[in-house]
Amino acid sequence: VQLQASGGGLVQAGGSLRLSCAASGRTFSSYAMGWFRQAPGKEREFVAAISGSGGSTRYADSVKGRFTISRDNAKNTVYLQMNSLKPEDTAVYYCAAGWLIATFAQEYDYWGQGTLVTVSS
């Protein structure tokens, strides 16, 4: 599985962005998908995850109520809608694919290249 993340950019605090992650392959719906982020000088952290069917989702406490993960299996794409962005959301955002919905990076087998989100105050 190859993953290509896009949609990052510069946005003011309080604004919104939607990230996309396009996947190759014919078995996209078999994979749980996750979004992680890594801020400068910090470790990579879990943001959100969604099951293969889209029926189950999980979120980090820091983004609950502001971010929404979704997927379109017909388009082999997973999305992260980010609203009410804060400067502390600034990071490189990575999408990942794995067999189980999980919050640990080690549970994911395939990773995209990352897209930078910068939130100005």
Side-chain angles (χ1 to χ4, degrees):
V1 177
Q2 291 186 322
L3 304 174
Q4 180 75 35
S6 62
L10 174 63
V11 63
Q12 288 188 331
S16 299
L17 277 176
R18 188 176 80 156
L19 305 184
S20 300
C21 177
S24 64
R26 295 175 291 179
T27 59
F28 178 68
S29 61
S30 300
Y31 291 96
M33 298 297 296
W35 285 98
F36 290 77
R37 66 187 181 186
Q38 187 165 17
K42 295 188 177 181
E43 294 187 352
R44 191 171 297 191
E45 65 174 1
F46 169 75
V47 176
I50 189 167
S51 63
S53 68
S56 297
T57 57
R58 299 186 70 174
Y59 295 93
D61 288 343
S62 59
V63 307
K64 276 182 183 175
R66 300 189 298 123
F67 290 11
T68 302
I69 189 171
S70 62
R71 65 190 296 160
D72 185 338
N73 286 341
K75 295 183 178 180
N76 280 15
T77 303
V78 63
Y79 304 98
L80 185 68
Q81 178 67 43
M82 305 186 295
N83 299 329
S84 302
L85 282 161
K86 305 175 181 179
E88 51 264 43
D89 294 318
T90 294
V92 176
Y93 284 71
Y94 298 90
C95 59
W99 293 111
L100 298 173
I101 186 170
T103 62
F104 293 100
Q106 299 91 316
E107 297 293 335
Y108 291 86
D109 299 311
Y110 304 97
W111 291 82
Q113 85 291 358
T115 185
L116 176 62
V117 172
T118 303
V119 184
S120 63
S121 57

